[in-house]
Amino acid sequence: MTTAIGTDRAEIRHELSTTGYDLLVIGGGILGTSVTWMAAQAGLRVAMVDAGDFAGATSSASSKLVHGGLRYLQTGNVKLVAENHRERRALAGDIAPHLVKPLTFLVPIYKGGPHGAAKLGAGVFLYSALSVFGDGMGKVITPHQALAKVPALRTEGLRAAAVYGDHQMNDSRVAVMTVRAAVDAGATVLNHAEVVGLRTTGGSVTGADLRDRLGGAEFGVSARLVLNATGPWVDHLRRMEDPDAAPSIRLSKGAHLVMRRHEPWKAALTTPIDKYRVSFAIPWEDHLLLGTTDEAYEGDPGLVGATEADITQILDEAGHSVRDSQLRREDITYAFAGLRVLPGGPGEVTAAKRETVLTRGAGGMLSVAGGKWTTYRHIGRHVFDTLAHLPGRPLGDDLADILPAVPLPGLASPDAVAMRLWTDRDPSARMDPLVARHLASHYGSIAFDLARLIREDPALGERIHPDGPDIWAQVVYARDHEWAATVDDVVRRRTTLTVRGLDTPEIRTRIAGLLA
């Protein structure tokens, strides 16, 4: 097996244990990856480790939205919505147009529903105004027009629908591309490497001792500053630094379902459930994504999953606006759950502010939690600025300015890439247009690297499962260039096999063989 520079685990362990780093980031979710990317852009020697896979927990269990947050208008947070829109447009326009795509949303207005047409019409108009009408003007349409966009829409009692524009993505793919961007900028990263202890010098945290979960090898990393970005596990690591550390966060569980779709949808649904909560029904990866729930979670973060009660609740809430024929249990291909990390405190989790929590421990370790995909670059930069200006300047004074809009690897027009992939070969050996479109919208111009693999070994151009667009070249590429080390890394986060319900035992065995 040929391994690309940067993904050979023994080599990375050696590099981690023999280099003195400026910053060690523990946790490779949204926050950790973003801060690592920013620190590398500023010219620091930065390392990032994760006990599981990159974005292996909450960060790949989102609603797959890059959005302004229409519901924040309900709480009067106009500034937050404007900020979200700014980042959303940067991602869709300059940073990752190959991974983030526009999507129209409808808010159905039913007789007796929590919001009337006048209020929602004003809401979507303000929402689109805050995005400087970049996605068209929010408006109200008739039931007949709404049905043309969403054929499975429930029409009983439907008075109208409000329309607005947002964006969506595949969060796992954006995460992998951001890790690549950080490594391209000079970072060293390793997944499946668990912190077993913190290193201290004179009472200050100066690194961590780790164990490679895949081979059991033990090694250590030394750094001037350590950032704890372990999400739901943030307090677990804080207690390693100080056994008496008081809890800083609480957790809320959000579950989602993926369903087979019976007909194409031209828009997504945002259905008000009550005054504050909404239910999403979103066309995604040729399927339908439904969710989400929001309830306090006190169990082991590693055991979170969608329960029978979650599934029932999601289907019931989707049923407010989606016909029963599209909500059959046998059409569920995947159910998943993630944990929102919220500031600690009293009250219901549904009312808790979605903000970043930053604390510094007795040994000088910084702990950060919270964050969301839409503003992940902005939050990463904010946290990095905080690190750069700590008392005593542990990261030094000589930091480069971070460029305002460094794109993610593969930046390209997905339509142009798909076109090239499809027309580049002899007509008798052309790539299936669905596969070409899939590769273009998940890799951008990096899809040409996969096309090269197929030219060298045509068997890699075959679909992994006949019912999905993923091909074998993606597995080899994930192994050699995207740090995929376990079958789950491949089927859940480097391809779409699991969400489509296509990761059969035979396919998993064959992938395990390729990874071995």
Side-chain angles (χ1 to χ4, degrees), residues 443-494:
Y443 297 84
S445 62
I446 291 170
F448 300 133
D449 294 343
L450 281 92
R452 265 192 292 281
L453 290 175
I454 297 166
R455 277 200 294 278
E456 289 159 16
D457 179 358
L460 295 179
E462 288 171 19
R463 292 183 185 220
I464 298 172
H465 190 290
D467 295 342
D470 292 296
I471 57 172
W472 286 104
Q474 290 173 257
V475 181
V476 172
Y477 192 82
R479 175 194 72 194
D480 293 349
H481 301 276
E482 295 183 340
W483 305 276
T486 71
V487 173
D488 262 356
D489 294 352
V490 173
V491 296
R492 286 186 57 185
R493 289 174 292 275
R494 307 298 186 282

Side-chain angles (χ1 to χ4, degrees), residues 187-343:
T188 307
V189 303
L190 188 64
N191 51 0
H192 304 291
E194 180 181 12
V195 171
V196 290
L198 294 174
R199 296 182 155 190
T200 54
T201 312
S204 294
V205 176
T206 52
D209 293 312
L210 295 116
R211 185 176 61 84
D212 187 330
R213 279 179 153 180
L214 301 181
E218 301 206 344
F219 63 103
V221 184
S222 296
R224 287 154 67 178
L225 190 65
V226 175
L227 178 71
N228 166 15
T230 53
W233 292 271
V234 70
D235 285 339
H236 167 74
L237 207 64
R238 285 175 64 244
R239 284 191 292 272
M240 268 191 194
E241 176 189 31
D242 172 10
D244 299 323
S248 65
I249 56 152
R250 53 201 176 130
L251 303 174
S252 155
K253 182 171 90 165
H256 292 82
L257 300 181
V258 183
M259 323 245 342
R260 285 183 203 90
R261 212 170 58 206
H262 300 306
E263 53 215 327
W265 285 35
K266 295 189 185 121
L269 294 177
T270 303
T271 306
I273 297 301
D274 55 37
K275 235 172 106 179
Y276 294 106
R277 282 195 63 244
V278 298
S279 161
F280 289 117
I282 302 169
W284 181 71
E285 299 293 4
D286 315 316
H287 284 60
L288 199 59
L289 180 72
L290 303 179
T292 177
T293 60
D294 192 351
E295 59 175 14
Y297 182 83
E298 315 228 314
D300 178 344
L303 299 177
V304 68
T307 61
E308 188 51 45
D310 294 329
I311 293 170
T312 301
Q313 180 187 339
I314 292 168
L315 290 173
D316 285 352
E317 291 182 348
H320 285 237
S321 60
V322 180
R323 286 192 194 142
D324 293 344
S325 56
Q326 176 56 72
L327 299 176
R328 298 191 311 233
R329 280 180 176 252
E330 57 267 34
D331 284 328
I332 297 172
T333 56
Y334 186 48
F336 63 93
L339 295 170
R340 302 175 192 90
V341 181
L342 305 171

Side-chain angles (χ1 to χ4, degrees), residues 98-99 101 169-170 172-174 176-177 284-286 409-410 414 434-447 450 469-470 474 482 493-496 499-500:
H98 51 313
L99 304 172
K101 43 183 177 282
M169 57 158 183
N170 181 314
S172 305
R173 293 296 318 159
V174 174
V176 169
M177 291 296 191
W284 181 71
E285 299 293 4
D286 315 316
L434 284 174
V435 172
R437 150 92 18 219
H438 174 72
L439 295 182
S441 60
H442 289 72
Y443 297 84
S445 62
I446 291 170
L450 281 92
D470 292 296
Q474 290 173 257
E482 295 183 340
R493 289 174 292 275
R494 307 298 186 282
T495 65
T496 62
V499 296
R500 296 172 192 272

